[in-house]
Amino acid sequence: MTHGLQSHGWTLDEAIRRVTNSTNGRPEIVSLLAAGKLVAYNCGETGRWSRLLSSDFGDDWLDDEKRLSKVLIFPILHSPDVCALISGSALRDIFQNYVLDDPEVRQLSIEAIRADPDTVRVLEGNWQPRGAAEWPVNDGILDENDSYEWTESELGRLMSRDTPDEVRKFRHVLRLRFGTLLKLLQSGKLRARGDPVRGDNQEILPTIWSHHDFLLDAKAGDLVQWNDGSDPVHRTSRLLGRWRAIYLAPTVTDPDISGHMSDQFMGPSAVVTTSNTAVVPTSKTTSRDACRKWLIEEMRQSPDQRPAPKEAYRKQALDKWRGSLSSRMFDRVWTDAINQAPAEKWSSPGRPIKSLQP
């Protein structure tokens, strides 16, 4: 676990202040932890930090004050295990669940919407409540010159003098979440793959996620690019689709950002790839079972719509369990997972319906 863990997490009392409406918000915190909206870590007798599982939050969890004093709570995107917790999921789902539906973002949105009702459009996936819908993916995401940014600088206060404080606070935390996700992609801690629209490779280079020409369509989970040749007279599009049906996978285990790769998430036989080495499962049976478990979890998150083509899941699985999972074995596991999830819609041939949209 990271050396600086304690300086980045919240105590229980701070978590209550940030994400609940009540001073007696402990039950709500427990519900958020059990639902996977927040993640908690416990400091054991040896001084090592370990992630608590949903099964740890029993009825007596709030009664143990000594244990609670050694617990730190994180938003998912800021947790030491963020790569393990979110990899393998569609970018659209990650953005919805951990940026827009982040508990602190949702809590701050209540007052922000009261101050400016149009703010609700941001929670619907729009970058600006009035204006651009796509989210810029560049290092200026936290630019203090933006009138919506919360900052104590003189320039920031001047630029945002007509923006209610409630909206500025809401936008600040929202951007921190999105900015953290971008840093994981920019650094290569997470790799992004998608269905290329214009003949690109499936792999999206980390440098794309800091390029000023690219934007995220958060509602669809697609990456688009400014069209320099757009012509309003002939109604050519101002944006060009580049990748759709994007999903994320881990690359490097970095304790400064992602912490350790959790067996509870990836399965004990998962491949953890670094820049130089890969840990390969020792048993084909173990990797088959781990792959089945992973697919069942993916299918249960979206039983009525497959977020990405089957081939995208095949590629990811063969990367995770390299050397011990064959393409033919994946096909058998795929069928088993559909039956066990159950997720009949995943058996439909071809690409997901969403990925066919322009």
Side-chain angles (χ1 to χ4, degrees), residues 47-93:
R48 289 180 58 83
W49 291 89
S50 60
R51 176 158 56 90
L52 297 174
L53 305 178
S54 58
S55 58
D56 294 320
F57 308 121
D59 295 336
D60 61 341
W61 194 76
L62 294 174
D63 299 329
D64 192 338
E65 294 294 337
K66 182 179 179 180
R67 179 170 56 178
L68 289 177
S69 68
K70 298 181 179 181
V71 168
L72 290 177
I73 297 171
F74 291 79
I76 298 297
L77 288 175
H78 294 272
S79 72
D81 286 318
V82 57
C83 288
L85 291 169
I86 71 174
S87 63
S89 298
L91 178 58
R92 180 191 61 186
D93 295 338

Side-chain angles (χ1 to χ4, degrees), residues 48-347:
R48 289 180 58 83
W49 291 89
S50 60
R51 176 158 56 90
L52 297 174
L53 305 178
S54 58
S55 58
D56 294 320
F57 308 121
D59 295 336
D60 61 341
W61 194 76
L62 294 174
D63 299 329
D64 192 338
E65 294 294 337
K66 182 179 179 180
R67 179 170 56 178
L68 289 177
S69 68
K70 298 181 179 181
V71 168
L72 290 177
I73 297 171
F74 291 79
I76 298 297
L77 288 175
H78 294 272
S79 72
D81 286 318
V82 57
C83 288
L85 291 169
I86 71 174
S87 63
S89 298
L91 178 58
R92 180 191 61 186
D93 295 338
I94 291 171
F95 191 92
Q96 180 65 53
N97 293 334
Y98 306 124
V99 177
L100 298 180
D101 286 345
D102 172 85
E104 188 177 15
V105 169
R106 285 286 171 173
Q107 180 63 29
L108 290 171
S109 73
I110 297 172
E111 294 300 324
I113 291 171
R114 286 176 183 159
D116 181 358
D118 284 339
T119 302
V120 73
R121 297 176 184 170
V122 178
L123 291 179
E124 294 170 352
N126 293 297
W127 166 240
Q128 298 287 4
R130 295 172 290 275
E134 294 80 13
W135 298 62
V137 293
N138 57 62
D139 292 332
I141 197 72
L142 293 174
D143 189 346
E144 68 178 19
N145 295 337
D146 192 297
S147 61
Y148 284 94
E149 183 56 62
W150 172 258
T151 176
E152 292 304 316
S153 71
E154 293 184 7
L155 180 58
R157 289 196 296 270
L158 176 64
M159 293 293 292
S160 58
R161 62 184 181 275
D162 295 326
T163 304
D165 282 356
E166 296 85 354
V167 175
R168 294 167 65 202
K169 292 177 181 178
F170 160 74
R171 295 284 298 187
H172 173 61
V173 174
L174 181 73
R175 291 187 180 201
L176 284 178
R177 300 295 183 266
F178 182 43
T180 300
L181 178 59
L182 284 181
K183 288 182 184 299
L184 292 169
L185 292 163
Q186 292 166 358
S187 65
K189 301 301 185 298
L190 286 173
R191 70 182 188 274
R193 290 179 174 175
D195 177 22
V197 179
R198 312 185 69 81
D200 299 292
N201 293 325
Q202 283 189 339
E203 191 90 20
I204 303 173
L205 294 175
T207 50
I208 293 292
W209 298 101
S210 57
H211 199 293
H212 286 263
D213 284 350
F214 288 86
L215 306 100
L216 174 66
D217 179 344
K219 294 180 180 179
D222 299 343
L223 197 61
V224 299
Q225 184 180 14
W226 286 113
N227 182 8
D228 292 334
S230 62
D231 183 351
V233 175
H234 296 91
R235 298 185 179 182
T236 54
S237 175
R238 67 185 181 90
L239 296 173
L240 298 173
R242 292 295 299 274
W243 287 274
R244 54 195 173 189
I246 298 171
Y247 71 94
L248 304 185
T251 50
V252 178
T253 301
D254 185 340
D256 289 334
I257 295 182
S258 61
H260 62 275
M261 301 299 291
S262 168
D263 285 348
Q264 284 77 20
F265 177 81
M266 296 289 288
S269 63
V271 175
V272 180
T273 305
T274 67
S275 56
N276 298 313
T277 62
V279 180
V280 181
T282 58
S283 165
K284 290 186 178 181
T285 302
T286 303
S287 30
R288 180 193 63 200
D289 293 343
C291 181
R292 182 188 296 109
K293 178 182 178 182
W294 168 66
L295 285 173
I296 289 173
E297 290 175 353
E298 292 293 307
M299 292 173 180
R300 286 177 175 171
Q301 288 181 19
S302 180
D304 297 324
Q305 179 178 324
R306 193 177 69 236
K310 178 182 176 180
E311 291 308 309
Y313 291 96
R314 184 196 305 275
K315 181 72 167 76
Q316 188 176 359
L318 296 182
D319 281 349
K320 284 184 177 183
W321 294 283
R322 188 178 307 147
S324 62
L325 183 74
S326 67
S327 183
R328 182 176 297 179
M329 184 184 295
F330 174 83
D331 285 332
R332 292 198 296 268
V333 171
W334 177 269
T335 301
D336 291 345
I338 288 174
N339 293 331
Q340 292 181 36
E344 184 180 349
K345 296 293 180 64
W346 285 56
S347 63

